[in-house]
Amino acid sequence: MERTCTRCHGTFDEQAGFYRSLLGKHGRRSRCKRCCKDDHDDWFFRHRFGISKQQYDRRVTAQGGKCALCGLPPKGGKALAVDHCHKHKHVRALLCLTCNVGLGAFRDDPLLCRKASAYLTQWARAGVKRYVDQVGG
């Protein structure tokens, strides 16, 4: 049996196209599965970050689908993460998972990030010789 979604007005098979619901008129929700997912995604972004799914999608487009930090697209077809200030709750940019987790590991502390950068730069300049000298090899 075919049903029409009350949101997108698309026609779908009742069994495959609509989630079950105890409250629904026919034992199914009035919105199709795709519209339910869109509603959930929008709720998630609004609740968690204070932006709509549409605003997220516009940011993805503005960034060319790439991480604002490393400039690479997310690995494995994953979505970009919303980088946000935990203290003031504002959205900064969209990052790949690796960069987002990296910033989180440094507790969003610019000084700690600069120290880490200096540390890596020091080791990059010294190369393998310094490592070998330290470990006694």
Side-chain angles (χ1 to χ4, degrees), residues 69-136:
L69 192 56
C70 71
L72 298 173
K75 295 177 185 173
K78 295 192 183 249
L80 290 167
V82 179
D83 177 43
H84 62 289
C85 172
H86 291 254
K87 185 176 181 181
H88 299 103
K89 305 292 184 206
H90 65 270
V91 173
R92 293 186 282 230
L94 304 180
L95 305 177
C96 68
L97 183 62
T98 303
C99 289
N100 195 46
V101 168
L103 285 182
F106 289 110
R107 299 180 296 279
D108 294 340
D109 183 348
L111 179 60
L112 194 54
C113 288
R114 283 193 293 276
K115 284 182 175 181
S117 177
Y119 172 81
L120 290 174
T121 301
Q122 171 190 341
W123 277 96
R125 284 188 194 133
V128 176
K129 182 184 179 319
R130 187 166 178 184
Y131 174 76
V132 170
D133 290 343
Q134 280 192 350
V135 295

Side-chain angles (χ1 to χ4, degrees), residues 16-28:
F18 295 86
Y19 289 114
R20 290 182 180 185
S21 172
L22 296 175
L23 304 174
K25 186 177 177 182
H26 303 285
R28 299 277 171 178

